[in-house]
DNA sequence: ATTAGTCTGTACTATTCGGTATATACCCGA
DNA sequence: TCGGGTATATACCGAATAGTACAGACTAAT
């Protein structure tokens, strides 16, 4: 039996894809096994906690990606450097567009937030959105907004992004996501 | 065996509640049976097509409610009556807030849009959001906006509402939904 | 009173579920 | 060459799954 996978993290992308497309309940071990090419034995070797641990690992990886690629850059802008803040906000919009594949790819945190799975991953889901809103609000403050306005604008921007994913999928038209994101960016910078 | 239910529509609310809280895959016939108080016999009597037909009926009822309570009033504003348009837009925001129970209650169309269930109910999901955006855009035109601006503003408003439900649930704080909706209304009227 | 049609509960099928146990194969260090 | 830890496949478990079959009980019209 040749080894196919060296590390747990090698199969996380395919795991994430399966949870995204089928949801937590809908992703059966059979689906996961087929998607990853691994049997139950290997799956339970890597994730002794079963499906719950798989989903947790996927959320952790998604969270880490956003932390590194979106939240941290927004949070760490030097105070007073409004030009840099605007540049980082623009960059974060591009990173978001890339990650969600222009609305074709779903946000797993949103899927979990809308389902009863929420209770299983409540903390991860809450922290993800809180971190996003707070990081963006911080960047807006550096860009010159008042604290209260920055907070509500950040909230609305994140909410609109999430809703745009829903509407883009509903319409099966990814252009509407790109358009919405462009308007969000303009509003954040304007 | 006493009759518990006279018509199919009597159990639709409980059916909707079950699909909302557990999703399509997560709502088993056992859950549905317990929630509605009906055995499988009755369930398959009313819905010979099983779960798929139940979900379809629920979507149809939700769609009809929105059509009557939100879309039609927005669509049927007399041309030129900007004041009436503003009043109807305000009313629709209040109807939406009531329906989604300030963000506690999930939008089933959004849940389906994000899952692979989407392929089963593609048309219903697409039509729901398209009708909403178009009705709101029409109202905005009557209120004085240009057609293009009306369309993008309507899209963004619906998207933000959907995203606000996600974020409100993630934060387990319904006040943030009410706040977001108030800002959306102000933006639509301003 | 009879009957036809409308519900309702229950037992049943076959399948699939998440999870466990086990046996086998591989790689690497001694 | 010989273990021992790491992967992997497979058979298996009890529970739950969607759906079917059917018999009983109620209602309403005849």
């Amino acid at each position: 039996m040749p080894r196919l996978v060296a590390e747990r993290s090698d199969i996380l992308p395919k795991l994430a894809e399966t949870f995204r497309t089928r949801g937590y309940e809908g992703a059966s071990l059979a689906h996961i096994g087929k998607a990853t090419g691994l049997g139950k034995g290997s799956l339970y070797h890597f994730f002794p906690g079963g499906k719950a641990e798989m989903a947790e690992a996927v959320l952790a990886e998604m969270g880490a990606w956003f932390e590194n690629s979106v939240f941290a850059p927004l949070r760490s802008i030097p105070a007073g450097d409004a030009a840099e803040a605007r540049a980082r906000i623009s960059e974060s919009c591009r990173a978001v567009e890339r990650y969600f594949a222009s609305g074709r790819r779903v946000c797993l945190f949103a899927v979990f937030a809308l389902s009863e799975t929420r209770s299983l991953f409540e903390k991860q889901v809450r922290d993800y959105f809180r971190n996003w809103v707070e990081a963006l609000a911080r960047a807006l403050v550096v860009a010159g907004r008042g604290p209260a306005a920055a907070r509500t604008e950040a909230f609305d921007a994140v909410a609109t992004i999430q809703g745009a994913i829903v509407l883009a999928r509903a319409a099966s038209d990814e252009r509407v996501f790109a358009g919405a994101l462009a308007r969000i960016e303009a509003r954040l910078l304007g």
Side-chain angles (χ1 to χ4, degrees), chain A:
Chain A
M1 296 169 188
R3 272 168 177 66
L4 301 174
V5 179
E7 293 186 48
R8 215 173 83 140
S9 59
D10 293 352
I11 60 168
L12 280 183
K14 297 194 171 187
L15 219 41
E17 187 63 20
T18 308
F19 280 121
R20 258 195 295 265
T21 57
R22 308 201 174 256
Y24 184 74
E25 313 265 5
S28 73
L29 286 187
H31 291 139
I32 294 172
K34 183 157 289 186
T36 58
L38 267 62
K40 287 193 186 185
S42 306
L43 253 16
Y44 271 88
H45 171 74
F46 287 117
F47 306 95
K51 258 174 75 170
E53 188 172 343
M54 298 180 206
E56 215 150 342
V58 167
L59 290 183
E61 205 213 13
M62 266 190 78
W65 189 91
F66 269 85
E67 177 61 32
N68 293 330
S69 305
V70 181
F71 307 161
L74 287 174
R75 214 186 281 116
S76 64
I77 307 165
D81 195 343
E84 178 67 13
R86 296 164 56 86
R88 298 259 182 110
I89 288 170
S90 269
E91 268 173 50
S92 82
C93 286
R94 281 194 290 276
V96 164
E97 179 163 14
R98 224 181 310 122
Y99 188 88
F100 291 124
S102 298
R104 266 173 296 130
R105 190 191 283 176
V106 151
C107 177
L108 198 52
F109 287 99
V111 173
F112 283 4
L114 290 182
S115 74
E116 263 322 275
T117 315
R118 178 179 64 138
S119 51
L120 261 172
F121 307 104
E122 204 170 357
K123 184 179 169 9
Q124 288 96 324
V125 170
R126 183 174 52 237
D127 288 353
Y128 170 78
F129 289 112
R130 188 167 47 76
N131 286 337
W132 193 350
V133 170
E134 284 183 2
L136 182 52
R138 166 104 174 78
L140 285 171
V141 167
V142 178
R145 297 285 203 302
R151 168 126 197 115
T152 58
E153 278 198 49
F155 180 96
D156 291 355
V158 173
T160 311
I161 288 169
Q162 293 296 326
I165 295 174
V166 173
L167 267 70
R169 282 177 63 87
S172 304
D173 181 355
E174 59 192 65
R175 288 168 307 172
V176 301
F177 180 79
L181 194 56
R183 290 194 296 278
I184 292 165
E185 183 179 348
R187 199 174 166 206
L188 290 172
L189 297 178

